[in-house]
Amino acid sequence: MHKIYTNIGEHIFEVTADSANFMNLVIRQFTSLKKIPDRPVDMVVHIHGGYGTPLVTSDFSITEQARKLIFRRDDYLIDIDPDYYSANLYVYNGPALRQAFISLYSSFIVFRNWGFLMHGECVVDNGLAHLLCGGGSLSISDDSENPSRPVSEGIVLIKIASEGIRVFDSPFDEAATKRNSRSNLIGSVHFIQQAFQNKQMKAGRTYSLLRLLDAVFYWPHSTEQTRRVITMLRRFVQAAPVYSNYFQKREEIKELIS
């Protein structure tokens, strides 16, 4: 049995695996702590290989059995205790392990009312994080004349707290590996769509909440979890201005959000 302690966002996980190969995948993805943490871990995760089949469809099921919450897909199964202190991940291969960790962590932080994972991209300009949603591939190149820098693509980690909304480097993107504890206060949110002319419009809070709800990464297995997500999203749209942006060329996105 292999064991490490790792940091994801602001949380410490104790991770064990019955396979050195799966443990190496965890070490490559997340920050491995060099010593035993001096505070209790937030969650204990056990990884087991040899489960399931290659992914054919994205269908999944969620059930409750013997005081465990069961997330099931072709290539992985997760069972979580009701207090979200421990979980077992049964996985088919490396991609299944990554996806299982995303599902587990997103459910964990929603349960804790800490925040959520969201599909999108983030850039940081003058110390503030600007979230981009929609529009397909949104990669923004960096240049010496503009202080904007690309931070994460695909999934962003957002913390909802009384002291402010913070966007963390994504713990699930390879480019962010080993630096996933860095965060910035939210500056703005932008829905991106390609069009024939550049235009920016302020988006209403109700519209913004519904659009962002579609972007949050979570499995709605209960009305309580959905209520928690909506409550956090309300705080999110109240804290940051939200815009609908239309652009002709990808490189013009910088000008729209500056």
Side-chain angles (χ1 to χ4, degrees), residues 179-220:
R179 58 175 175 82
N180 58 28
S181 61
R182 186 172 57 186
S183 66
N184 295 87
L185 286 171
I186 187 70
S188 61
V189 181
H190 301 264
F191 299 121
I192 303 297
Q193 181 174 329
Q194 194 160 17
F196 292 109
Q197 63 179 3
N198 294 349
K199 182 171 61 174
Q200 183 182 81
M201 298 185 302
K202 188 73 177 292
R205 287 182 178 175
T206 300
Y207 171 81
S208 301
L209 190 150
L210 293 174
R211 284 287 303 271
L212 291 170
L213 182 60
D214 286 338
V216 172
F217 193 105
Y218 81 108
W219 283 4

Side-chain angles (χ1 to χ4, degrees), residues 16 24 72 77 99 135 144 148 161 185 192 197 199 204 217 228 232 245 254:
T16 63
N24 287 334
R72 189 189 308 271
L77 181 147
Q99 196 65 32
S144 58
S148 300
L185 286 171
I192 303 297
Q197 63 179 3
K199 182 171 61 174
F217 193 105
R228 289 176 178 175
M232 289 188 288
N245 295 267
K254 280 184 181 179

Side-chain angles (χ1 to χ4, degrees), residues 136-232:
S137 178
L138 300 175
S139 297
I140 300 178
S141 61
D142 197 13
D143 62 65
S144 58
E145 297 179 356
N146 193 308
S148 300
R149 61 174 174 84
V151 173
S152 61
E153 301 173 21
I155 300 175
V156 292
L157 172 59
I158 297 170
K159 178 184 179 181
I160 308 296
S162 57
E163 62 270 19
I165 311 299
R166 302 196 73 87
V167 181
F168 282 67
D169 289 344
S170 172
F172 298 102
D173 291 329
E174 290 184 4
T177 301
K178 310 305 181 186
R179 58 175 175 82
N180 58 28
S181 61
R182 186 172 57 186
S183 66
N184 295 87
L185 286 171
I186 187 70
S188 61
V189 181
H190 301 264
F191 299 121
I192 303 297
Q193 181 174 329
Q194 194 160 17
F196 292 109
Q197 63 179 3
N198 294 349
K199 182 171 61 174
Q200 183 182 81
M201 298 185 302
K202 188 73 177 292
R205 287 182 178 175
T206 300
Y207 171 81
S208 301
L209 190 150
L210 293 174
R211 284 287 303 271
L212 291 170
L213 182 60
D214 286 338
V216 172
F217 193 105
Y218 81 108
W219 283 4
H221 61 83
S222 69
T223 55
E224 174 61 23
Q225 190 196 46
T226 301
R227 185 192 64 79
R228 289 176 178 175
V229 171
I230 292 175
T231 298
M232 289 188 288

Side-chain angles (χ1 to χ4, degrees), residues 104-159:
L104 174 64
Y105 187 67
S106 64
S107 296
F108 168 78
I109 57 178
V110 167
F111 178 81
R112 291 278 189 97
N113 290 307
W114 184 91
F116 44 79
L117 293 173
M118 179 175 287
H119 296 286
E121 181 179 352
C122 176
V123 294
V124 173
D125 188 14
N126 294 322
L128 293 177
H130 302 277
L131 180 64
L132 313 178
C133 300
S137 178
L138 300 175
S139 297
I140 300 178
S141 61
D142 197 13
D143 62 65
S144 58
E145 297 179 356
N146 193 308
S148 300
R149 61 174 174 84
V151 173
S152 61
E153 301 173 21
I155 300 175
V156 292
L157 172 59
I158 297 170
K159 178 184 179 181

